[in-house]
Amino acid sequence: MQEHGVMRWLQLTYKVPSEPSQKRVWVWRRLQNLGAYALQNSVYLLPYSDEVEKIFRQLANDIQEMGGEASIFSVVALDVADEQRILHALLDCRNADYNKAVNVCARFLNRAVTLVEKQEWNEQLQAECSEILEKVHLSFRAAKRHDVLGAYTAIARASAAEAIAVCEQVFRVLQVREFTKARRLLEMNYEWIYLPTTTEKEISPCSGQSELASDEPISTRSAQN
């Protein structure tokens, strides 16, 4: 995304006919899903990459087929502070999507601690846990699909993937009621077991939040030996 220490950006500028309004809304939603930064009305920025260029070119083509106009520019910022402000806004948005998945995993593992302590497992609990894992997988896939920031979001993406993998391991062990093994897994992965703070459960700075953002926390206890 950078050349010789200078960060490159791609800028999409467009104009869509006011009627029918569905076309304008479709373009806006597409850019929101990409997490593009709105520099001003109908002017959006993303860090340069081959993937972003391909997406912007396709979007420009779609806009032109709607009877609109679209232009793509490769630009660099003249104000470093301004550039960092925009980049941090983009990262806050994308990382929030991955953090939602991590927080759901944390609540899942807290619940698992309680189940292990009580040595409790039945078909209803299995169905509930399976549903939670399915939702978190869907949320994670959606976050990756909308993420075009590459290396910038690598840490948050890897953390979410690791948290989900731990949940899957614990779930498989609980399914066969191996509570001792489940306890060991939880102890080995204690860093994922915590209750999300109020701040972590606030609405994401992004549009198009995952439905997991509004899920009520699972009733849990902290993992204490």
Side-chain angles (χ1 to χ4, degrees):
M1 292 186 184
Q2 298 188 13
E3 275 187 6
H4 308 297
V6 177
M7 183 171 180
R8 292 175 60 195
W9 295 77
L10 282 180
Q11 174 183 296
L12 174 68
T13 303
Y14 70 92
K15 182 189 297 183
V16 178
S18 57
E19 296 295 336
S21 61
Q22 292 93 327
K23 293 181 178 180
R24 187 173 65 256
V25 172
W26 182 87
V27 174
W28 178 83
R29 284 180 176 166
R30 181 77 176 104
L31 288 162
Q32 291 297 306
N33 285 337
L34 287 171
Y37 185 87
L39 193 61
Q40 54 182 284
N41 287 340
S42 302
V43 180
Y44 284 81
L45 288 172
L46 276 172
Y48 174 85
S49 71
D50 291 341
E51 181 184 6
V52 170
E53 181 179 351
K54 181 179 178 181
I55 292 170
F56 269 9
R57 285 187 182 277
Q58 181 60 55
L59 186 53
N61 184 65
D62 292 339
I63 291 169
Q64 289 161 1
E65 289 184 353
M66 295 175 185
E69 302 173 6
S71 301
I72 303 170
F73 298 93
S74 176
V75 300
V76 296
L78 298 181
D79 187 320
V80 175
D82 223 20
E83 178 176 75
Q84 289 301 304
R85 175 181 59 81
I86 293 172
L87 181 59
H88 287 157
L90 293 175
L91 290 175
D92 286 346
C93 180
R94 293 290 72 129
N95 287 342
D97 288 339
Y98 292 120
N99 289 339
K100 281 185 287 188
V102 171
N103 288 337
V104 173
C105 287
R107 297 199 295 270
F108 176 93
L109 294 172
N110 269 282
R111 178 65 182 276
V113 169
T114 301
L115 296 176
V116 168
E117 288 176 348
K118 294 181 177 180
Q119 296 198 4
E120 180 182 1
W121 189 256
N122 54 46
E123 290 184 1
Q124 181 179 345
L125 288 169
Q126 179 167 320
E128 290 174 359
C129 289
S130 179
E131 183 179 359
I132 293 169
L133 288 177
E134 182 179 355
K135 284 185 177 182
V136 80
H137 274 292
L138 288 172
S139 176
F140 181 62
R141 286 197 293 270
K144 287 203 301 180
R145 187 168 61 250
H146 297 153
D147 182 9
V148 293
L149 296 181
Y152 288 110
T153 51
I155 293 176
R157 188 165 56 249
S159 293
E162 185 177 351
I164 292 171
V166 171
C167 290
E168 290 284 3
Q169 280 185 297
V170 172
F171 180 61
R172 286 194 294 270
V173 173
L174 285 174
Q175 282 182 295
V176 292
R177 301 176 65 86
E178 293 186 5
F179 296 112
T180 301
K181 186 175 181 180
R183 181 186 295 277
R184 286 200 300 269
L185 277 172
L186 291 165
E187 289 173 349
M188 289 168 55
N189 295 282
Y190 69 91
E191 69 272 19
W192 297 110
I193 305 173
Y194 67 96
L195 288 176
T197 64
T198 302
T199 301
E200 287 171 327
K201 291 184 286 184
E202 288 174 354
I203 295 175
S204 165
C206 308
S207 297
Q209 296 105 352
S210 158
E211 65 180 277
L212 291 179
S214 59
D215 280 353
E216 288 297 319
I218 300 168
S219 176
T220 60
R221 308 174 43 178
S222 62
Q224 300 291 337
N225 294 329

